[in-house]
């Protein structure tokens, strides 16, 4: 499709450019021809880079490395070059005798297929010779201005880059392979500066455009030989100092197709000869119409590479790091770097750790994979103490299997065992005699207690039991004294010692000891652990047997309830000498985050013994408020923005009778814009304890209307004028939010007529179309039989001065008037035309029918296009009506004013 209007668009308005007089164009063409007549003929030279080869029948270690690569016109072979599949052959083209500040096009051809195999499958940057580990030396540098140098351009000259375009050929599956391979290319250093493998490089010029032209969406595998072509446009700068012509160097790489991508035998390295070819398809001046995009001028050249210089590198053994883990470990993971197309076969030997490979074959015990990592897991319920060795064999099609050296004792599993020191694993404490007992370590392995640190902790105790560990004066030996601090809490106390290695991998084990405590009287308090601010009548009660029910105070004992410590927001409510008590909490925000401790003291009436217990309660509200009525996200036009929703909030905790306040806020990304604006509305509620809950609605204000288009009238023209806007006209288009493009498609010619379908697309992607019938006055239908279904741009049948001629010459079939932008703030731009001559009157009214002003009152000729502006008075928001009258015809429309 051909774009008819080439408008410079600004926010809220569009500028239409007037056409240039034919005399100016003729003068420019005359100057261009005069310049070419007195300039030297542009020329080019295509080189490819050789990086050193090996003599026949010699091993790879005999390669004579050339660094940086040597540029040559000759074809490359194994005696002068060495590449792996997936490397790129470096190319440079030197363009000479160029005009300064001038645009050129050059077309690069390369063979994607040759001999029914994949050869050079896409273009890369010039430096793509890694990985290079298969060869016994470092990667060679690609320096497009050196070895040999390019006369007239300093070797340290800076270069510009241009992203290599997306690959657009092959069927869907083939394009996915090509694109995936290209995207996997990594960053690379070029000539001492950071470039990438995904960029074209140019010296003494600037690349402005690059695109694959061929072969297009075809099944590549269906061709024994197939060429791809990339078009590159570039511009020169000023003359090089000391010369009278411009010189430019462009560098790139041809990617050598890999059997990893195309399967075993799918790449050209599997055949004999020279299947890797690159050439210059054409070289010419560029122009504004880009009519030289398919040039074949400038001669042709061809550079080839033999398959004896291309290697399929065998896989390299990965690096694994030995690990020492603890017996409680559930898996040991060994990550490694994989290579594409390589199969890894793992097995275990010398296995004394009770290990197996996760996913291994249950019969052969071999784990076969193409990905990382390899994971070792217990063969039973857990590992046993010991070690194992990992063995690896790698396979890749086209290369011999590689058996890596065994990863000996790559995994070591440590099993720590510890036993607490006691005779029968049960100790007795009679509180009538003592409140403590001594604990220690009976046995430990591996090593001695000096290799460990020890931690004693209480595992379980009777309800209300309180204890501590003291006299940890010999932690290396694991000794500790266990003390009972609750003289009335009887029952079983379970304590645990945890032994941890002082050195990596810091394995640990534990042992439990049960201590039976007897004697004394129990004291247990039950009550809530947390309450809300404002909670009333919170009940705490005596529960001697810990069954969850209130018990009477034991005989001969008196009870006293008190607060233990501060209680800033809590007070007792009622008696404090019974078996239960009530506590009220103030409904204040300051109470949040506070706590209070209710304490029960049991004292014998004789005063001979006493016990106390307590319950600590936190005043918290960790639950957010609940919002109701939150609206969902919507997309609307400017006139349908809804009012804010009525959102309410509730909360789980009392708020003293005051309802929660919902705070509403609103932001806009583009205040008042009716074509592109995002309104974000937020509702938020906060409870007494500062818990917040919010909801957000996003209202997208976007263009919802299709553009308007009116086709030019049907015409009869000569065949040569069928694409001349001055002869066939151009459509009238408008949109409230701006036009993106106007295109046309010509239908097939029948009886010297064809239908031209015009399509307009606005900036929001909405489209509208109309049709124009064009009759050809001379019999040229036989030359246009291939035009069906093609865009006018593809067959180059329309002129390129776009809107200028079309706007000047368009003759609409009826009265037309368009106002923009819509919505507007103060200034309105009107564009109108008439199919007849007469007096034109354009007026503006409000919705009450009151005339606000006259925009235009004057003569108009048939087919003329008028442009006028109108300054409207400021309003908060109003709808205006505009009306155009020419003789007895009229047209009108509406437009919205924003604040």
């Amino acid at each position: 499709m051909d774009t008819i209007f080439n408008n410079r668009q600004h926010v809220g308005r569009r500028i239409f450019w007037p056409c240039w007089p034919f005399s100016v164009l003729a003068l420019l063409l005359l100057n261009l021809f005069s310049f070419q007549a007195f300039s030297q003929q542009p020329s080019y030279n295509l080189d490819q880079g050789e990086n050193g080869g090996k003599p026949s029948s010699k091993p790879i270690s005999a390669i004579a490395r050339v660094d940086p690569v040597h540029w040559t016109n000759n074809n490359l072979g194994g005696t002068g070059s060495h590449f792996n599949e997936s490397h790129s052959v470096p190319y440079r083209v030197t363009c000479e005798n160029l005009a300064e500040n001038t645009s050129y096009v050059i077309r690069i051809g390369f063979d994607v297929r040759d001999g029914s195999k994949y050869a050079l499958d896409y273009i890369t940057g010039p430096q793509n010779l890694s990985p290079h580990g298969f060869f016994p030396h470092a990667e060679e540098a690609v320096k497009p201005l050196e070895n040999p140098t390019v006369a007239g351009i300093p070797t340290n000259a800076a270069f510009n880059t241009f992203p290599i375009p997306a690959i657009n050929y092959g069927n869907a599956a083939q394009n996915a392979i090509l694109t995936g391979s290209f995207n996997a290319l990594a960053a690379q250093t070029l000539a001492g500066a950071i470039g990438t493998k995904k960029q074209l490089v140019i010296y003494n010029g600037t690349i402005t455009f690059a695109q694959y032209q061929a072969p297009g969406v075809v099944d590549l595998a269906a061709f024994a030989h197939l060429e791809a072509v990339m078009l590159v446009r570039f511009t020169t700068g000023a003359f090089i100092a000391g010369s009278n012509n411009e010189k430019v160097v462009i560098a790139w790489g041809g990617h050598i197709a890999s059997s990893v991508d195309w399967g075993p035998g799918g790449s050209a390295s599997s055949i004999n000869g020279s299947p890797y070819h690159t050439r210059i398809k054409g070289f010419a001046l560029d122009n504004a119409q880009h009519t030289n995009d398919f040039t074949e001028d400038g001669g042709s050249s061809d550079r080839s590479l033999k398959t004896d210089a291309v290697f399929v590198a065998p896989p390299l053994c990965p690096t694994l790091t030995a690990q020492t883990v603890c017996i409680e470990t559930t898996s040991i993971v060994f990550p490694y770097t994989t290579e594409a197309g390589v199969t890894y076969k793992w097995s275990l030997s010398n296995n004394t750790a009770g290990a197996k490979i996760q996913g291994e074959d249950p019969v052969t015990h071999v784990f076969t994979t193409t990905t990382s990592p390899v994971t070792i897991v217990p063969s039973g319920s857990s590992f046993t103490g010991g070690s194992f060795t990992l063995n690896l064999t790698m396979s890749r099609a086209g290369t011999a299997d590689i058996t890596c050296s065994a990863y000996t004792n790559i995994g070591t599993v440590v099993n720590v065992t510890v036993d607490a020191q006691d005779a029968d694993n049960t100790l007795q404490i009679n509180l009538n005699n003592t409140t403590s007992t001594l604990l220690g370590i009976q046995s430990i392995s591996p090593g001695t207690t000096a290799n460990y640190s020890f931690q004693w902790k209480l595992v379980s105790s009777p309800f209300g039991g309180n204890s501590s560990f003291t006299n940890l004066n010999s932690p290396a030996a694991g000794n500790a004294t266990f003390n009972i601090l609750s003289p009335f809490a009887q029952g079983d106390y379970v304590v645990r010692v945890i032994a941890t290695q002082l050195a990596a991998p810091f394995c640990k084990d534990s042992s439990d000891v049960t201590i039976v405590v007897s004697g004394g009287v129990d004291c247990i308090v039950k009550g809530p652990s947390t309450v809300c601010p404002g909670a009333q009548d919170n009940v705490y009660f005596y529960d001697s047997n810990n069954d969850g029910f209130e018990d009477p105070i034991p005989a001969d004992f008196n009870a006293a309830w008190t607060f233990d410590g501060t209680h800033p927001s809590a007070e007792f409510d009622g008696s404090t000498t019974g078996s239960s008590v009530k506590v009220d909490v103030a409904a204040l925000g300051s109470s949040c985050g506070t706590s209070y401790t209710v304490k029960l003291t049991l004292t014998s009436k004789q005063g001979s013994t006493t016990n106390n217990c307590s319950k600590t309660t936190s005043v918290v509200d960790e639950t957010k408020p609940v919002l109701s009525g939150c609206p969902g996200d919507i997309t609307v036009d400017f006139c349908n923005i809804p009012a804010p929703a009525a959102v309410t909030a509730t909360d789980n905790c009392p708020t003293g009778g005051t309802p929660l306040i919902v705070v509403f806020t609103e932001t806009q990304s583009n205040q008042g814009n009716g074509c592109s604006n995002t309104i974000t509305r937020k509702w938020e509620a906060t409870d007494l304890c500062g818990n917040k809950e919010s909801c957000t609605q996003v209202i997208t204000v976007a263009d919802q209307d299709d553009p308007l288009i009116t086709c030019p009238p049907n015409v009869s023209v000569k065949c040569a004028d069928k694409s001349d806007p001055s002869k066939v006209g151009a459509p009238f288009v408008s949109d409230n939010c701006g036009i993106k493009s106007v295109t046309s498609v010509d239908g097939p010619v029948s009886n010297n007529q064809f239908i031209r379908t015009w399509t307009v697309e606005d900036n929001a992607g909405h489209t509208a179309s109309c049709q124009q019938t064009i009759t050809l006055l001379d019999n040229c239908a036989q030359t246009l039989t291939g035009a069906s279904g093609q865009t006018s741009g593809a067959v180059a049948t329309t002129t390129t001065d776009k809107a200028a001629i079309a706007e000047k010459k368009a003759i609409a079939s009826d009265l037309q008037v368009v106002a923009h932008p819509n919505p507007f703030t103060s200034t309105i731009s009107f564009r109108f035309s008439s199919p007849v001559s007469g007096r034109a009157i354009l007026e503006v009214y409000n919705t009450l029918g009151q005339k606000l002003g006259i925009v235009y009152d004057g003569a108009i000729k048939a087919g003329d296009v008028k442009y006028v502006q109108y300054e409207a008075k400021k309003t908060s928001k109003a709808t205006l009506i505009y009306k155009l009258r020419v003789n007895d015809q009229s047209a009108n429309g509406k437009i919205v004013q924003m604040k």
Side-chain angles (χ1 to χ4, degrees):
M1 293 185 290
D2 191 26
T3 301
I4 301 303
F5 293 114
N6 185 16
N7 301 324
R8 297 185 181 178
Q9 297 193 6
H10 302 275
V11 178
R13 67 190 183 92
R14 183 181 63 206
I15 301 173
F16 292 85
W17 297 92
C19 62
W20 287 3
F22 179 80
S23 59
V24 174
L25 295 176
L27 180 59
L28 290 175
L29 292 173
L30 180 60
N31 289 339
L32 176 62
F33 291 137
S34 300
F35 173 77
Q36 292 296 321
F38 290 99
S39 300
Q40 299 184 55
Q41 184 67 25
S43 62
Y44 68 85
N45 177 60
L46 175 63
D47 293 326
Q48 54 184 344
E50 57 183 2
N51 58 346
K54 68 181 184 67
S56 178
S57 303
K58 294 292 185 180
I60 292 177
S61 60
I63 291 176
R65 179 171 179 259
V66 175
D67 183 41
V69 301
H70 174 254
W71 299 101
T72 178
N73 283 148
N74 297 325
N75 297 324
L76 303 183
T79 59
S81 300
H82 61 284
F83 301 101
N84 279 343
E85 285 189 340
S86 80
H87 283 181
S88 295
V89 182
Y91 298 101
R92 75 175 184 185
V93 62
T94 304
C95 303
E96 301 185 79
N97 300 323
L98 309 181
E100 64 179 349
N101 301 318
T102 302
S103 181
Y104 293 86
V105 295
I106 190 165
R107 301 175 65 229
I108 301 168
F110 57 96
D111 291 348
V112 175
R113 299 270 294 176
D114 194 68
S116 299
K117 307 287 184 179
Y118 289 94
L120 300 175
D121 47 5
Y122 57 83
I123 283 179
T124 73
Q127 181 78 53
N128 181 31
L129 299 176
S130 61
H132 218 75
F134 174 62
F135 304 107
H137 56 260
E139 172 184 353
E140 296 80 21
V142 176
K143 299 183 178 181
L145 299 182
E146 297 183 32
N147 198 16
T149 59
V150 177
I153 301 181
T155 57
N156 61 350
F159 58 84
N160 292 319
T161 60
F162 191 85
I164 295 173
I167 299 172
N168 60 3
Y169 49 84
N171 59 32
Q174 294 160 349
N175 187 264
I177 293 173
L178 291 165
T179 302
S181 175
F182 178 79
N183 290 341
L185 296 176
Q188 191 74 7
T189 298
L190 177 66
I194 300 299
T196 75
K197 296 183 181 181
K198 301 177 185 178
Q199 292 182 331
L200 302 171
V201 174
I202 185 170
Y203 295 84
N204 207 40
T206 302
I207 296 176
T208 59
F209 179 81
Q211 184 181 59
Y212 286 104
Q213 292 181 312
V217 182
V218 297
D219 181 5
L220 305 178
F223 296 85
H225 180 86
L226 186 64
E227 181 188 46
V229 178
M230 176 181 284
L231 168 70
V232 177
R233 299 191 191 118
F234 68 91
T235 59
T236 61
F239 280 148
I240 301 173
S243 67
N244 59 359
N245 72 89
E246 188 62 274
K247 181 182 293 186
V248 166
V249 173
I250 302 175
W252 70 94
H255 185 263
I256 300 173
S258 170
S259 56
V260 172
D261 294 331
W262 303 109
S267 61
S269 66
S270 61
I271 62 178
N272 293 323
S274 303
Y276 306 100
H277 288 261
T278 292
R279 61 194 61 85
I280 300 300
K281 295 287 292 181
F283 176 45
L285 276 167
D286 189 20
N287 52 44
Q289 295 78 26
H290 305 311
T291 56
N292 282 334
D293 281 0
F294 291 90
T295 181
E296 295 188 0
D297 292 345
S300 179
S301 59
D302 189 278
R303 304 290 180 262
S304 67
L305 169 69
K306 293 182 178 180
T307 56
D308 64 359
V310 179
F311 298 86
V312 181
L316 300 176
C317 289
T319 299
L320 298 185
T321 301
Q323 299 186 49
T324 299
V325 299
C326 303
I327 193 172
E328 58 266 26
T329 301
T330 58
S331 64
I332 310 173
V333 180
F334 294 95
Y336 56 92
T337 301
T338 61
E339 295 186 44
V342 176
T343 299
Y344 298 82
K345 298 178 180 180
W346 298 94
S347 63
L348 291 179
S349 62
N350 304 321
N351 181 9
T352 61
K356 71 174 183 179
I357 304 177
Q358 188 177 64
E360 69 178 26
D361 185 281
V363 177
T364 64
H365 301 292
V366 173
F367 174 58
T368 302
T369 183
T370 58
T371 61
S372 172
V374 57
T375 302
I376 309 301
V377 296
S379 58
S381 59
S382 63
F383 287 116
T384 60
S387 62
F388 55 82
T389 296
L390 265 175
N391 306 293
L392 172 62
T393 299
M394 296 183 295
S395 303
R396 179 159 67 187
T399 63
D401 286 357
I402 299 297
T403 299
C404 298
S405 298
Y407 301 94
T408 305
N409 293 334
I410 191 72
T412 302
V413 180
V414 178
N415 181 16
V416 170
T417 60
V418 64
D419 191 14
Q421 182 179 354
D422 65 283
D424 56 4
N425 205 37
T426 300
L427 296 179
Q428 300 286 335
I429 295 180
N430 190 321
L431 294 175
N432 295 326
N433 302 318
T434 182
T435 58
S436 64
T437 185
L438 181 65
L439 302 173
I441 302 302
Q442 179 174 324
S443 64
I444 192 167
S445 69
T448 66
T449 54
N451 303 120
Y452 296 84
S453 64
F454 298 91
Q455 178 189 4
W456 290 91
K457 69 180 205 176
L458 181 68
V459 176
S460 64
S461 65
F463 189 84
N466 192 7
S467 61
S468 69
F469 295 92
T470 59
N471 297 325
L472 298 173
N473 53 3
S474 183
N479 297 332
T481 299
F482 179 68
N483 307 287
I484 298 297
L485 304 179
S486 303
F488 299 99
Q490 304 172 7
D492 292 347
Y493 290 74
V494 179
V495 297
R496 177 175 298 164
V497 64
I498 302 173
T500 304
Q501 289 179 316
L502 295 174
F506 308 104
C507 300
K508 61 181 62 178
D509 190 34
S510 64
S511 178
D512 291 351
V513 176
T514 300
I515 304 170
V516 179
V517 178
S518 60
V521 177
D522 291 332
C523 181
I524 301 173
V525 173
K526 291 291 185 64
S529 297
T530 60
V531 295
C532 285
Q536 304 293 298
D537 295 334
N538 303 296
V539 177
Y540 299 84
F541 58 90
Y542 173 65
D543 184 7
S544 63
N545 56 4
N546 196 27
D547 63 356
F549 295 96
E550 182 178 343
D551 296 324
I553 300 299
D556 299 328
F557 277 83
N558 293 322
W561 295 90
T562 59
F563 286 110
D564 189 3
T566 60
H567 49 102
S569 59
E571 296 295 338
F572 288 120
D573 184 1
S575 174
T576 58
T577 59
S579 58
S580 65
V581 72
K582 294 180 181 179
V583 176
D584 295 340
V585 178
L588 300 172
S590 59
S591 66
C592 299
T594 64
S595 65
Y596 59 89
T597 299
V598 175
K599 181 179 179 180
L600 172 61
T601 301
L602 298 174
T603 305
S604 65
K605 292 180 179 179
Q606 292 78 17
S608 59
T609 184
T610 184
N611 193 11
N612 60 71
C613 49
S614 61
K615 177 68 177 180
T616 299
T617 300
S618 299
V619 181
V620 296
D621 177 8
E622 297 179 345
T623 303
K624 297 179 179 180
V626 177
L627 297 180
S628 301
C630 293
D633 296 345
I634 57 173
T635 298
V636 299
D637 59 24
F638 184 81
C639 298
N640 293 308
I641 299 174
V647 178
T648 59
T650 58
D651 192 57
N652 63 307
C653 284
T655 58
T658 303
L660 288 180
I661 297 175
V662 179
V663 178
F664 171 75
T665 58
E666 176 180 287
T667 60
Q668 297 191 32
S669 65
N670 202 355
Q671 180 80 27
N673 190 302
C675 296
S676 176
N677 189 16
T678 300
I679 302 174
T680 302
R681 292 174 173 174
K682 181 179 180 181
W683 294 264
E684 184 174 68
T686 305
D687 64 16
L688 279 176
C689 290
N691 298 305
K692 298 178 183 292
E693 183 61 290
S694 64
C695 63
T696 302
Q697 180 189 32
V698 177
I699 301 175
T700 302
V701 182
D703 182 7
Q704 302 287 299
D705 299 326
D706 291 338
L708 300 177
I709 183 169
T710 301
C711 273
N714 299 335
V715 297
S716 297
V717 297
K718 293 182 179 181
C719 184
D721 296 332
K722 64 181 177 60
S723 297
D724 186 345
S726 66
K727 298 295 193 297
V728 300
F732 176 82
V733 298
S734 67
D735 187 75
N736 60 316
C737 291
I739 300 299
K740 178 182 179 181
S741 65
V742 180
T743 57
S744 66
V745 177
D746 293 347
V749 177
S750 176
N751 296 326
N752 282 343
Q753 282 188 340
F754 66 92
I755 301 298
R756 177 167 292 168
T757 300
W758 297 90
T759 300
V760 60
E761 180 180 1
D762 66 16
N763 287 328
H766 305 305
T767 61
S769 299
C770 63
Q771 291 185 332
Q772 175 191 22
T773 300
I774 299 176
T775 302
L776 303 176
L777 298 178
D778 44 357
N779 186 11
C780 61
Q782 67 277 10
T783 66
L784 301 172
T785 57
S788 176
Q790 297 181 0
T791 65
S792 57
V795 296
T797 60
T798 62
T799 61
T800 58
D801 55 0
K802 311 294 180 186
I805 296 178
E807 294 242 329
K808 186 67 178 177
K809 298 298 183 180
I811 301 177
S813 60
D814 54 6
L815 197 61
Q816 296 180 350
V817 57
V818 174
H820 65 88
N822 189 8
F824 72 97
T825 52
S826 59
T827 302
I828 311 173
S829 296
F830 289 95
R831 176 184 184 274
F832 60 91
S833 62
S834 171
V836 298
S837 299
R839 180 185 178 187
I841 302 175
L842 177 59
E843 301 167 316
V844 177
Y845 296 82
N846 60 21
T847 54
L848 299 178
Q850 299 168 327
K851 182 165 68 176
L852 303 180
I854 299 175
V855 181
Y856 180 83
D857 185 355
I860 189 172
K861 293 183 179 180
D864 277 359
V865 178
K866 296 288 187 179
Y867 301 88
V868 294
Q869 287 188 336
Y870 175 71
E871 294 293 332
K873 294 182 178 179
K874 296 288 185 178
T875 63
S876 59
K877 183 176 180 181
T879 299
L880 303 184
I881 300 172
Y882 55 89
K883 183 174 182 180
L884 172 68
R885 289 178 292 132
V886 177
N887 299 340
D888 59 349
Q889 297 187 32
S890 66
N892 56 60
K894 296 181 179 180
I895 191 167
V896 177
Q897 184 177 28
M898 298 182 300
K899 185 176 180 179

